Amino acid sequence: MIDINLQNVTIKNKENLKRTWQTQSGHVKNYTAAMHHSELGGDPEFLNLWKMHFSEFSGKVLEIGAGTGFLARNILEKNKNIDYTILDIERHFPYIQETLSAFEDVEYVKSSEYEKIFDENWDLLVTTNCLSETPRYYYTDILNNLNTKACFIVDYSGDPNDPHFDKTIWDWVQGFGKHEVSMNLEVAGARKIGGIPVYIGREE
């Protein structure tokens, strides 16, 4: 019999969610970074980090766990020639689509059908405080099979039942020709835990 605490990282389910996310309901803004910045709809530090690392980016983006769509909207507004796809829980789509109502060409992939992303070649993976909140089998399968030229990952590795998350992400990011990790204190909640890692990877 598996320990109930390990169910968050080991038990497979249709939507590929940890137990904590299976019980969430209502508007996604109530349990994402948006709840700390309700007037903006998301964390402005994500925008600062984006501007620092990818202000001139153009290409094919995959965002995993888009929250309210806050970062996606800002990327689509500020960067040119962006082809955007979002991988998320299907019940979040209406909230994200509301935020991105001005952008008709955004594609959506259900978390229950995540393997579809392996059929594409991506220029950039974007994910903020998401992968650590998914089961271990899910994020490792994604990292092992995703074909991307670059990554922009902000993640606080908040699950004590999954102590291998940080090393898994860092080992994967080191596969890029250029890579770096820094600790950010400005993302919501970061100061309480001594900073949140920001992982940047690029081809040479």
Side-chain angles (χ1 to χ4, degrees):
M1 183 173 172
I2 193 162
D3 187 306
I4 190 168
N5 292 323
L6 292 180
Q7 289 183 353
N8 257 353
V9 294
T10 59
I11 298 298
K12 292 191 176 184
N13 56 85
K14 182 180 178 182
E15 290 188 303
N16 301 299
L17 299 175
K18 287 186 176 178
R19 292 179 72 250
T20 48
W21 278 91
Q22 291 176 46
T23 60
Q24 296 287 2
S25 61
H27 201 296
V28 66
K29 70 180 179 182
N30 296 327
Y31 42 92
T32 62
M35 68 182 178
H36 301 287
H37 301 279
S38 57
E39 73 287 355
L40 297 176
D43 192 332
E45 183 61 12
F46 294 154
L47 305 185
N48 293 335
L49 290 166
W50 175 264
K51 185 176 180 180
M52 182 186 307
H53 296 285
F54 293 101
S55 61
E56 302 301 318
F57 175 84
S58 63
K60 191 171 181 178
V61 178
L62 171 67
E63 182 174 7
I64 302 178
T68 61
F70 167 77
L71 181 57
R73 185 189 67 215
N74 280 275
I75 291 172
L76 287 163
E77 286 175 347
K78 294 176 172 60
N79 291 68
K80 297 179 180 179
N81 300 317
I82 297 292
D83 181 352
Y84 217 94
T85 297
I86 290 171
L87 170 64
D88 212 319
I89 308 167
E90 186 176 10
R91 65 177 180 267
H92 287 177
F93 289 171
Y95 307 121
I96 301 169
Q97 289 166 338
E98 180 181 0
T99 301
L100 302 181
S101 59
F103 306 97
E104 297 179 356
D105 295 332
V106 175
E107 298 289 333
Y108 296 86
V109 178
K110 304 173 189 176
S111 64
S112 60
E113 300 176 352
Y114 76 96
E115 293 94 343
K116 290 181 177 180
I117 66 175
F118 303 150
D119 297 331
E120 305 288 337
N121 294 318
W122 307 95
D123 294 309
L124 178 64
L125 166 66
V126 174
T127 180
T128 55
N129 292 343
C130 172
L131 288 181
S132 66
E133 296 183 351
T134 66
R136 186 185 303 157
Y137 72 84
Y138 178 75
Y139 70 73
T140 54
D141 195 27
I142 287 174
L143 296 177
N144 287 335
N145 292 287
L146 189 71
N147 188 353
T148 183
K149 296 177 181 177
C151 70
F152 172 58
I153 301 173
V154 184
D155 210 312
Y156 67 116
S157 61
D159 191 338
N161 298 303
D162 192 4
H164 304 293
F165 176 79
D166 287 337
K167 185 176 187 305
T168 300
I169 294 295
W170 180 232
D171 286 349
W172 181 76
V173 170
Q174 288 187 83
F176 291 94
K178 295 181 179 179
H179 50 265
E180 62 181 272
V181 61
S182 59
M183 296 300 288
N184 183 282
L185 292 171
E186 303 306 320
V187 173
R191 291 186 182 277
K192 293 180 181 178
I193 59 174
I196 292 178
V198 177
Y199 303 90
I200 304 296
R202 293 186 176 88
E203 290 187 332
E204 288 284 5

PDB file of all heavy atoms in Angstrom, residues 2-28:
ATOM      1  N   ILE A   2       0.597   2.146  -0.933  1.00  0.00           N
ATOM      2  CA  ILE A   2       1.443   3.334  -1.069  1.00  0.00           C
ATOM      3  C   ILE A   2       1.098   4.389  -0.024  1.00  0.00           C
ATOM      4  O   ILE A   2      -0.058   4.566   0.344  1.00  0.00           O
ATOM      5  CB  ILE A   2       1.320   3.921  -2.486  1.00  0.00           C
ATOM      6  CG1 ILE A   2       2.426   4.941  -2.737  1.00  0.00           C
ATOM      7  CG2 ILE A   2      -0.031   4.566  -2.710  1.00  0.00           C
ATOM      8  CD1 ILE A   2       2.628   5.234  -4.195  1.00  0.00           C
ATOM      9  N   ASP A   3       2.116   5.057   0.490  1.00  0.00           N
ATOM     10  CA  ASP A   3       1.921   6.145   1.436  1.00  0.00           C
ATOM     11  C   ASP A   3       1.077   7.231   0.796  1.00  0.00           C
ATOM     12  O   ASP A   3       1.324   7.635  -0.336  1.00  0.00           O
ATOM     13  CB  ASP A   3       3.303   6.703   1.818  1.00  0.00           C
ATOM     14  CG  ASP A   3       3.231   7.727   2.942  1.00  0.00           C
ATOM     15  OD1 ASP A   3       2.467   8.695   2.806  1.00  0.00           O
ATOM     16  OD2 ASP A   3       3.947   7.553   3.932  1.00  0.00           O
ATOM     17  N   ILE A   4       0.077   7.749   1.546  1.00  0.00           N
ATOM     18  CA  ILE A   4      -0.827   8.760   0.982  1.00  0.00           C
ATOM     19  C   ILE A   4      -0.070  10.010   0.533  1.00  0.00           C
ATOM     20  O   ILE A   4      -0.451  10.679  -0.423  1.00  0.00           O
ATOM     21  CB  ILE A   4      -1.938   9.130   1.993  1.00  0.00           C
ATOM     22  CG1 ILE A   4      -3.013   9.980   1.304  1.00  0.00           C
ATOM     23  CG2 ILE A   4      -1.354   9.855   3.202  1.00  0.00           C
ATOM     24  CD1 ILE A   4      -4.272  10.155   2.131  1.00  0.00           C
ATOM     25  N   ASN A   5       1.050  10.336   1.207  1.00  0.00           N
ATOM     26  CA  ASN A   5       1.829  11.511   0.828  1.00  0.00           C
ATOM     27  C   ASN A   5       2.516  11.335  -0.521  1.00  0.00           C
ATOM     28  O   ASN A   5       2.810  12.305  -1.206  1.00  0.00           O
ATOM     29  CB  ASN A   5       2.871  11.834   1.898  1.00  0.00           C
ATOM     30  CG  ASN A   5       2.245  12.309   3.194  1.00  0.00           C
ATOM     31  OD1 ASN A   5       1.254  13.025   3.171  1.00  0.00           O
ATOM     32  ND2 ASN A   5       2.805  11.896   4.307  1.00  0.00           N
ATOM     33  N   LEU A   6       2.778  10.089  -0.892  1.00  0.00           N
ATOM     34  CA  LEU A   6       3.436   9.820  -2.168  1.00  0.00           C
ATOM     35  C   LEU A   6       2.453   9.802  -3.333  1.00  0.00           C
ATOM     36  O   LEU A   6       2.864   9.799  -4.487  1.00  0.00           O
ATOM     37  CB  LEU A   6       4.201   8.501  -2.102  1.00  0.00           C
ATOM     38  CG  LEU A   6       5.412   8.487  -1.172  1.00  0.00           C
ATOM     39  CD1 LEU A   6       6.073   7.121  -1.192  1.00  0.00           C
ATOM     40  CD2 LEU A   6       6.406   9.566  -1.556  1.00  0.00           C
ATOM     41  N   GLN A   7       1.143   9.792  -3.031  1.00  0.00           N
ATOM     42  CA  GLN A   7       0.158   9.803  -4.112  1.00  0.00           C
ATOM     43  C   GLN A   7       0.298  11.056  -4.975  1.00  0.00           C
ATOM     44  O   GLN A   7       0.015  11.037  -6.164  1.00  0.00           O
ATOM     45  CB  GLN A   7      -1.257   9.712  -3.544  1.00  0.00           C
ATOM     46  CG  GLN A   7      -1.582   8.350  -2.973  1.00  0.00           C
ATOM     47  CD  GLN A   7      -3.015   8.262  -2.482  1.00  0.00           C
ATOM     48  OE1 GLN A   7      -3.731   9.248  -2.441  1.00  0.00           O
ATOM     49  NE2 GLN A   7      -3.419   7.071  -2.118  1.00  0.00           N
ATOM     50  N   ASN A   8       0.756  12.142  -4.367  1.00  0.00           N
ATOM     51  CA  ASN A   8       0.930  13.382  -5.116  1.00  0.00           C
ATOM     52  C   ASN A   8       1.943  13.249  -6.246  1.00  0.00           C
ATOM     53  O   ASN A   8       1.872  13.969  -7.226  1.00  0.00           O
ATOM     54  CB  ASN A   8       1.386  14.503  -4.184  1.00  0.00           C
ATOM     55  CG  ASN A   8       0.264  15.453  -3.840  1.00  0.00           C
ATOM     56  OD1 ASN A   8      -0.838  15.382  -4.379  1.00  0.00           O
ATOM     57  ND2 ASN A   8       0.536  16.375  -2.942  1.00  0.00           N
ATOM     58  N   VAL A   9       2.894  12.342  -6.105  1.00  0.00           N
ATOM     59  CA  VAL A   9       3.977  12.284  -7.081  1.00  0.00           C
ATOM     60  C   VAL A   9       4.031  10.986  -7.871  1.00  0.00           C
ATOM     61  O   VAL A   9       4.780  10.886  -8.836  1.00  0.00           O
ATOM     62  CB  VAL A   9       5.348  12.533  -6.411  1.00  0.00           C
ATOM     63  CG1 VAL A   9       5.437  13.942  -5.881  1.00  0.00           C
ATOM     64  CG2 VAL A   9       5.611  11.529  -5.304  1.00  0.00           C
ATOM     65  N   THR A  10       3.236   9.973  -7.475  1.00  0.00           N
ATOM     66  CA  THR A  10       3.373   8.669  -8.119  1.00  0.00           C
ATOM     67  C   THR A  10       2.117   8.119  -8.772  1.00  0.00           C
ATOM     68  O   THR A  10       2.207   7.357  -9.731  1.00  0.00           O
ATOM     69  CB  THR A  10       3.856   7.625  -7.096  1.00  0.00           C
ATOM     70  OG1 THR A  10       2.917   7.550  -6.022  1.00  0.00           O
ATOM     71  CG2 THR A  10       5.226   7.983  -6.550  1.00  0.00           C
ATOM     72  N   ILE A  11       0.947   8.439  -8.271  1.00  0.00           N
ATOM     73  CA  ILE A  11      -0.286   7.812  -8.750  1.00  0.00           C
ATOM     74  C   ILE A  11      -0.747   8.453 -10.054  1.00  0.00           C
ATOM     75  O   ILE A  11      -0.943   9.670 -10.127  1.00  0.00           O
ATOM     76  CB  ILE A  11      -1.403   7.908  -7.695  1.00  0.00           C
ATOM     77  CG1 ILE A  11      -0.992   7.154  -6.427  1.00  0.00           C
ATOM     78  CG2 ILE A  11      -2.709   7.343  -8.234  1.00  0.00           C
ATOM     79  CD1 ILE A  11      -0.768   5.675  -6.624  1.00  0.00           C
ATOM     80  N   LYS A  12      -0.942   7.631 -11.072  1.00  0.00           N
ATOM     81  CA  LYS A  12      -1.392   8.140 -12.364  1.00  0.00           C
ATOM     82  C   LYS A  12      -2.901   8.358 -12.360  1.00  0.00           C
ATOM     83  O   LYS A  12      -3.644   7.624 -11.717  1.00  0.00           O
ATOM     84  CB  LYS A  12      -1.001   7.180 -13.486  1.00  0.00           C
ATOM     85  CG  LYS A  12       0.497   7.111 -13.719  1.00  0.00           C
ATOM     86  CD  LYS A  12       0.826   6.369 -14.999  1.00  0.00           C
ATOM     87  CE  LYS A  12       2.325   6.409 -15.268  1.00  0.00           C
ATOM     88  NZ  LYS A  12       2.682   5.785 -16.549  1.00  0.00           N
ATOM     89  N   ASN A  13      -3.331   9.386 -13.080  1.00  0.00           N
ATOM     90  CA  ASN A  13      -4.745   9.680 -13.219  1.00  0.00           C
ATOM     91  C   ASN A  13      -4.967  10.359 -14.562  1.00  0.00           C
ATOM     92  O   ASN A  13      -4.018  10.808 -15.209  1.00  0.00           O
ATOM     93  CB  ASN A  13      -5.242  10.564 -12.065  1.00  0.00           C
ATOM     94  CG  ASN A  13      -4.461  11.858 -11.938  1.00  0.00           C
ATOM     95  OD1 ASN A  13      -4.758  12.840 -12.599  1.00  0.00           O
ATOM     96  ND2 ASN A  13      -3.424  11.851 -11.094  1.00  0.00           N
ATOM     97  N   LYS A  14      -6.204  10.447 -15.001  1.00  0.00           N
ATOM     98  CA  LYS A  14      -6.517  10.888 -16.355  1.00  0.00           C
ATOM     99  C   LYS A  14      -5.959  12.267 -16.685  1.00  0.00           C
ATOM    100  O   LYS A  14      -5.409  12.487 -17.767  1.00  0.00           O
ATOM    101  CB  LYS A  14      -8.025  10.881 -16.568  1.00  0.00           C
ATOM    102  CG  LYS A  14      -8.446  11.293 -17.972  1.00  0.00           C
ATOM    103  CD  LYS A  14      -9.956  11.268 -18.148  1.00  0.00           C
ATOM    104  CE  LYS A  14     -10.340  11.728 -19.547  1.00  0.00           C
ATOM    105  NZ  LYS A  14     -11.810  11.758 -19.743  1.00  0.00           N
ATOM    106  N   GLU A  15      -6.111  13.213 -15.768  1.00  0.00           N
ATOM    107  CA  GLU A  15      -5.650  14.582 -16.043  1.00  0.00           C
ATOM    108  C   GLU A  15      -4.198  14.799 -15.661  1.00  0.00           C
ATOM    109  O   GLU A  15      -3.670  15.882 -15.844  1.00  0.00           O
ATOM    110  CB  GLU A  15      -6.537  15.594 -15.306  1.00  0.00           C
ATOM    111  CG  GLU A  15      -7.939  15.718 -15.867  1.00  0.00           C
ATOM    112  CD  GLU A  15      -8.699  16.855 -15.228  1.00  0.00           C
ATOM    113  OE1 GLU A  15      -8.827  16.855 -13.975  1.00  0.00           O
ATOM    114  OE2 GLU A  15      -9.156  17.744 -15.961  1.00  0.00           O
ATOM    115  N   ASN A  16      -3.552  13.766 -15.109  1.00  0.00           N
ATOM    116  CA  ASN A  16      -2.148  13.858 -14.700  1.00  0.00           C
ATOM    117  C   ASN A  16      -1.923  14.964 -13.676  1.00  0.00           C
ATOM    118  O   ASN A  16      -1.048  15.813 -13.822  1.00  0.00           O
ATOM    119  CB  ASN A  16      -1.262  14.053 -15.934  1.00  0.00           C
ATOM    120  CG  ASN A  16      -1.418  12.901 -16.905  1.00  0.00           C
ATOM    121  OD1 ASN A  16      -1.135  11.755 -16.565  1.00  0.00           O
ATOM    122  ND2 ASN A  16      -1.901  13.181 -18.096  1.00  0.00           N
ATOM    123  N   LEU A  17      -2.753  14.931 -12.630  1.00  0.00           N
ATOM    124  CA  LEU A  17      -2.708  15.936 -11.573  1.00  0.00           C
ATOM    125  C   LEU A  17      -2.292  15.314 -10.243  1.00  0.00           C
ATOM    126  O   LEU A  17      -2.559  14.151  -9.985  1.00  0.00           O
ATOM    127  CB  LEU A  17      -4.090  16.562 -11.379  1.00  0.00           C
ATOM    128  CG  LEU A  17      -4.712  17.290 -12.555  1.00  0.00           C
ATOM    129  CD1 LEU A  17      -6.123  17.729 -12.202  1.00  0.00           C
ATOM    130  CD2 LEU A  17      -3.863  18.484 -12.948  1.00  0.00           C
ATOM    131  N   LYS A  18      -1.682  16.134  -9.401  1.00  0.00           N
ATOM    132  CA  LYS A  18      -1.506  15.739  -8.018  1.00  0.00           C
ATOM    133  C   LYS A  18      -2.873  15.819  -7.317  1.00  0.00           C
ATOM    134  O   LYS A  18      -3.771  16.530  -7.762  1.00  0.00           O
ATOM    135  CB  LYS A  18      -0.508  16.665  -7.325  1.00  0.00           C
ATOM    136  CG  LYS A  18       0.926  16.429  -7.753  1.00  0.00           C
ATOM    137  CD  LYS A  18       1.892  17.265  -6.944  1.00  0.00           C
ATOM    138  CE  LYS A  18       3.343  16.957  -7.312  1.00  0.00           C
ATOM    139  NZ  LYS A  18       4.289  17.788  -6.565  1.00  0.00           N
ATOM    140  N   ARG A  19      -2.998  15.108  -6.200  1.00  0.00           N
ATOM    141  CA  ARG A  19      -4.277  15.057  -5.498  1.00  0.00           C
ATOM    142  C   ARG A  19      -4.759  16.443  -5.105  1.00  0.00           C
ATOM    143  O   ARG A  19      -5.961  16.727  -5.127  1.00  0.00           O
ATOM    144  CB  ARG A  19      -4.158  14.171  -4.251  1.00  0.00           C
ATOM    145  CG  ARG A  19      -3.954  12.705  -4.559  1.00  0.00           C
ATOM    146  CD  ARG A  19      -3.809  11.867  -3.305  1.00  0.00           C
ATOM    147  NE  ARG A  19      -5.080  11.735  -2.607  1.00  0.00           N
ATOM    148  CZ  ARG A  19      -5.355  12.301  -1.437  1.00  0.00           C
ATOM    149  NH1 ARG A  19      -4.455  13.045  -0.831  1.00  0.00           N
ATOM    150  NH2 ARG A  19      -6.513  12.130  -0.863  1.00  0.00           N
ATOM    151  N   THR A  20      -3.842  17.333  -4.743  1.00  0.00           N
ATOM    152  CA  THR A  20      -4.234  18.680  -4.333  1.00  0.00           C
ATOM    153  C   THR A  20      -4.945  19.424  -5.457  1.00  0.00           C
ATOM    154  O   THR A  20      -5.856  20.202  -5.215  1.00  0.00           O
ATOM    155  CB  THR A  20      -3.004  19.481  -3.886  1.00  0.00           C
ATOM    156  OG1 THR A  20      -1.975  19.344  -4.870  1.00  0.00           O
ATOM    157  CG2 THR A  20      -2.484  18.981  -2.560  1.00  0.00           C
ATOM    158  N   TRP A  21      -4.531  19.188  -6.711  1.00  0.00           N
ATOM    159  CA  TRP A  21      -5.150  19.868  -7.848  1.00  0.00           C
ATOM    160  C   TRP A  21      -6.434  19.177  -8.286  1.00  0.00           C
ATOM    161  O   TRP A  21      -7.315  19.805  -8.871  1.00  0.00           O
ATOM    162  CB  TRP A  21      -4.167  19.970  -9.011  1.00  0.00           C
ATOM    163  CG  TRP A  21      -3.254  21.129  -8.826  1.00  0.00           C
ATOM    164  CD1 TRP A  21      -2.043  21.128  -8.204  1.00  0.00           C
ATOM    165  CD2 TRP A  21      -3.490  22.472  -9.222  1.00  0.00           C
ATOM    166  NE1 TRP A  21      -1.504  22.393  -8.201  1.00  0.00           N
ATOM    167  CE2 TRP A  21      -2.375  23.239  -8.825  1.00  0.00           C
ATOM    168  CE3 TRP A  21      -4.541  23.107  -9.881  1.00  0.00           C
ATOM    169  CZ2 TRP A  21      -2.278  24.606  -9.049  1.00  0.00           C
ATOM    170  CZ3 TRP A  21      -4.438  24.469 -10.122  1.00  0.00           C
ATOM    171  CH2 TRP A  21      -3.328  25.202  -9.704  1.00  0.00           C
ATOM    172  N   GLN A  22      -6.576  17.905  -7.997  1.00  0.00           N
ATOM    173  CA  GLN A  22      -7.806  17.207  -8.360  1.00  0.00           C
ATOM    174  C   GLN A  22      -9.003  17.778  -7.612  1.00  0.00           C
ATOM    175  O   GLN A  22     -10.131  17.715  -8.092  1.00  0.00           O
ATOM    176  CB  GLN A  22      -7.669  15.712  -8.062  1.00  0.00           C
ATOM    177  CG  GLN A  22      -6.685  14.989  -8.957  1.00  0.00           C
ATOM    178  CD  GLN A  22      -6.522  13.542  -8.562  1.00  0.00           C
ATOM    179  OE1 GLN A  22      -7.495  12.848  -8.316  1.00  0.00           O
ATOM    180  NE2 GLN A  22      -5.284  13.077  -8.476  1.00  0.00           N
ATOM    181  N   THR A  23      -8.769  18.347  -6.442  1.00  0.00           N
ATOM    182  CA  THR A  23      -9.872  18.862  -5.623  1.00  0.00           C
ATOM    183  C   THR A  23     -10.135  20.346  -5.839  1.00  0.00           C
ATOM    184  O   THR A  23     -11.091  20.887  -5.279  1.00  0.00           O
ATOM    185  CB  THR A  23      -9.578  18.631  -4.126  1.00  0.00           C
ATOM    186  OG1 THR A  23      -8.354  19.312  -3.781  1.00  0.00           O
ATOM    187  CG2 THR A  23      -9.407  17.150  -3.833  1.00  0.00           C
ATOM    188  N   GLN A  24      -9.312  21.028  -6.621  1.00  0.00           N
ATOM    189  CA  GLN A  24      -9.511  22.455  -6.858  1.00  0.00           C
ATOM    190  C   GLN A  24     -10.691  22.687  -7.791  1.00  0.00           C
ATOM    191  O   GLN A  24     -10.906  21.946  -8.737  1.00  0.00           O
ATOM    192  CB  GLN A  24      -8.251  23.077  -7.482  1.00  0.00           C
ATOM    193  CG  GLN A  24      -7.028  23.034  -6.604  1.00  0.00           C
ATOM    194  CD  GLN A  24      -7.073  24.012  -5.446  1.00  0.00           C
ATOM    195  OE1 GLN A  24      -8.052  24.719  -5.249  1.00  0.00           O
ATOM    196  NE2 GLN A  24      -6.012  24.052  -4.672  1.00  0.00           N
ATOM    197  N   SER A  25     -11.454  23.724  -7.506  1.00  0.00           N
ATOM    198  CA  SER A  25     -12.573  24.086  -8.380  1.00  0.00           C
ATOM    199  C   SER A  25     -12.713  25.605  -8.381  1.00  0.00           C
ATOM    200  O   SER A  25     -12.113  26.303  -7.569  1.00  0.00           O
ATOM    201  CB  SER A  25     -13.870  23.429  -7.896  1.00  0.00           C
ATOM    202  OG  SER A  25     -14.188  23.876  -6.584  1.00  0.00           O
ATOM    203  N   GLY A  26     -13.524  26.121  -9.289  1.00  0.00           N
ATOM    204  CA  GLY A  26     -13.706  27.562  -9.376  1.00  0.00           C
ATOM    205  C   GLY A  26     -12.663  28.220 -10.254  1.00  0.00           C
ATOM    206  O   GLY A  26     -11.899  27.558 -10.951  1.00  0.00           O
ATOM    207  N   HIS A  27     -12.612  29.533 -10.215  1.00  0.00           N
ATOM    208  CA  HIS A  27     -11.735  30.308 -11.087  1.00  0.00           C
ATOM    209  C   HIS A  27     -10.275  30.066 -10.737  1.00  0.00           C
ATOM    210  O   HIS A  27      -9.893  30.066  -9.568  1.00  0.00           O
ATOM    211  CB  HIS A  27     -12.058  31.795 -10.966  1.00  0.00           C
ATOM    212  CG  HIS A  27     -11.587  32.599 -12.142  1.00  0.00           C
ATOM    213  ND1 HIS A  27     -10.253  32.728 -12.470  1.00  0.00           N
ATOM    214  CD2 HIS A  27     -12.275  33.302 -13.072  1.00  0.00           C
ATOM    215  CE1 HIS A  27     -10.134  33.489 -13.548  1.00  0.00           C
ATOM    216  NE2 HIS A  27     -11.358  33.846 -13.931  1.00  0.00           N
ATOM    217  N   VAL A  28      -9.472  29.869 -11.764  1.00  0.00           N
ATOM    218  CA  VAL A  28      -8.051  29.573 -11.574  1.00  0.00           C
ATOM    219  C   VAL A  28      -7.318  30.708 -10.857  1.00  0.00           C
ATOM    220  O   VAL A  28      -6.298  30.473 -10.201  1.00  0.00           O
ATOM    221  CB  VAL A  28      -7.393  29.265 -12.937  1.00  0.00           C
ATOM    222  CG1 VAL A  28      -7.376  30.481 -13.834  1.00  0.00           C
ATOM    223  CG2 VAL A  28      -5.996  28.697 -12.757  1.00  0.00           C
TER     224      VAL A  28
END
